[in-house]
Amino acid sequence: MSTPLLNFINGAWAQSSTSNVLNVNNPATAQVIAQVPISPANEVHAAAQAAQTAFKEWRRVPVTDRIQYLFRLKQLLEDNIDDIAKTITNECGKTYAESVAEMRRGIENVENSCGSPTQMQGLFSEDIARGIDEFMIRQPLGVVAAITPFNFPGMIPLWFLPYAVATGNCFILKPSEKVPLTSQKLFQLIEKAGFPKGVLQVVNGSKETVDAILDHPLIRAISFVGSTPVARYVYSRATANGKRAQCQGGAKNPVVIMPDCDLEMTTKIIADSAFGCAGQRCLAASVAITVGDAKNSFTEHIADIAASRKVGYGLDSATEMGPVISADSKNRIKHIVNGGLANGAAHMLVNGLDRTVGGYEDGFFVFPTVLDQVNPKSELATTEIFGPVLSLMHANTVEEAIAMVNDRTVGNMACLFTSSGTAARQFRNEVTSGNVGINVGIAAPMAFFPFSGWRDSFFGDLHAQGHHAIEFYTETKVVVERWPKEWSRKF
Ligand code: NAD
């Protein structure tokens, strides 16, 4: 095995001093494709110091000049999208098409951050009292850091990085230790884009590295995306240390199917939501609630689509769904489903738990699985499974369905399928989820909208993307100014 992956600190690639390394696997083959170091606190310190030094000059670079680096990065990402997408597929498992789509959503954030010259503008009120003006300006925080999950190794770092540097901050990325190779590719392009040294760093690692980031006095703000327990922990520790924090957590997304929807189209959309990226999207449909007469036909259609989905290695062009991230993840999924079945909490409708893919027998594959008559109070209905498992439940009215949607602690996304504007309006008004889809199965906000998870899907107040990102990465300064005539020198 070659040497462990490098960190990128102060404009140079650096080997970690640690001997504590983890294997990175290709989930389709189980082969070890790299080793990632668990960087210790002194390497986080080196990154923070380099960023702090760079900040003194970077904040002075006009925002119109700062975004020129991002324009260059956008072009480099476009030119290298094929290479990055293949890297994502090989370390994360999703299909090539899904990897390209992920990068498109990431690049969209680079584009949006290039609007920072207007998005950073302040406010000005003339004559708030006689001869006195008051204005508000936005200034960068300093050194900021992001800690990201395994399921979107290309897109999620780009929810934060472009906005942070466009607004004048210096940035540290701690990518998921399960998928560190995509960040290596991103940072090779960042190097080519010519950002001044110290503006952007990547420090690899896991909990130990995260804790060093959360405790470091120079790091002013933390952006986190991952599971709810870790999001809660990161938020508590970061804010206890006086940092600004935005922490996006896990999900358990319900979709509601009304009898008046276009059932064929709806079933296809829900199958893509539930089984796309092997169910490892924080916006994956996980619970399908049929209303009234929708039950029988939806159940039949979804079972057919689930059973026929082509599962395999993500770089094979015929593949429609790849593996889950790890053997642990596969075992966890099987454990939760089998536990629910043993407790009588559901009936197995389509069983994808124990199938293998020819030629990839060691891969971490779970085929689409559909559970029927799931008890709404059971673990199957409330715990994030994070695999291609869809739980079916039933309600008699839209009100009953909305109550079931809201009967959970997380609130990342909720969707309704209907041809009734009245039902749609009631649904979007009453559901306690931050991202809502009407006849849409993955209600992923564009880069110019905030990614609005609610309740245990988010800790903080300013979300990723859009204007929230600009606000998160800047401090407001209000100036009240008087220039009395009698104090002016006479010319
Ligand atoms: P995770 O919580 O295990 O890891 C996320 C990050 O936290 C990684 O960088 C990891 O190194 C670090 N980490 C893990 N355990 C830690 C600990 N005990 N202390 C400090 N740091 C720790 O999440 P994951 O498995 O990589 O990603 C999947 C989860 O992310 C799912 O729950 C999914 O719903 C969620 N997610 C949420 C969103 C969203 O926008 N809300 C988006 C994508 C993924």
Side-chain angles (χ1 to χ4, degrees), residues 208-240:
E208 179 186 339
T209 321
V210 171
D211 287 347
I213 291 172
L214 299 177
D215 292 345
H216 201 286
L218 288 178
I219 299 175
R220 296 279 322 279
I222 302 290
S223 302
F224 172 89
V225 182
S227 57
T228 289
V230 183
R232 186 184 273 114
Y233 163 77
V234 168
Y235 186 75
S236 324
R237 190 154 170 170
T239 51

Side-chain angles (χ1 to χ4, degrees), residues 230-281:
V230 183
R232 186 184 273 114
Y233 163 77
V234 168
Y235 186 75
S236 324
R237 190 154 170 170
T239 51
N241 283 327
K243 300 184 196 311
R244 193 175 278 199
Q246 49 176 191
C247 300
Q248 301 187 203
K252 183 77 182 175
N253 303 308
V255 294
V256 174
I257 302 109
M258 298 291 285
D260 59 6
C261 73
D262 175 334
L263 207 83
E264 201 175 320
M265 181 62 83
T266 296
T267 316
K268 274 192 198 136
I269 294 173
I270 292 177
D272 282 341
S273 176
F275 309 131
C277 295
Q280 298 172 121
R281 287 187 185 116

Side-chain angles (χ1 to χ4, degrees), residues 3-40:
T3 53
L5 299 176
L6 303 178
N7 294 329
F8 186 76
I9 297 174
N10 204 23
W13 292 96
Q15 194 163 352
S16 172
S17 60
T18 187
S19 55
N20 186 8
V21 294
L22 293 174
N23 287 336
V24 180
N25 297 98
N26 179 332
T29 61
Q31 274 173 353
V32 177
I33 53 175
Q35 287 191 315
V36 62
I38 307 307
S39 306

Side-chain angles (χ1 to χ4, degrees), residues 148-151 174 177 207 224-227 248-249 282 384 451:
T148 53
F150 80 80
N151 63 332
K174 203 300 284 170
E177 65 278 22
K207 179 174 170 48
F224 172 89
V225 182
S227 57
Q248 301 187 203
C282 66
E384 183 177 41
F451 195 104

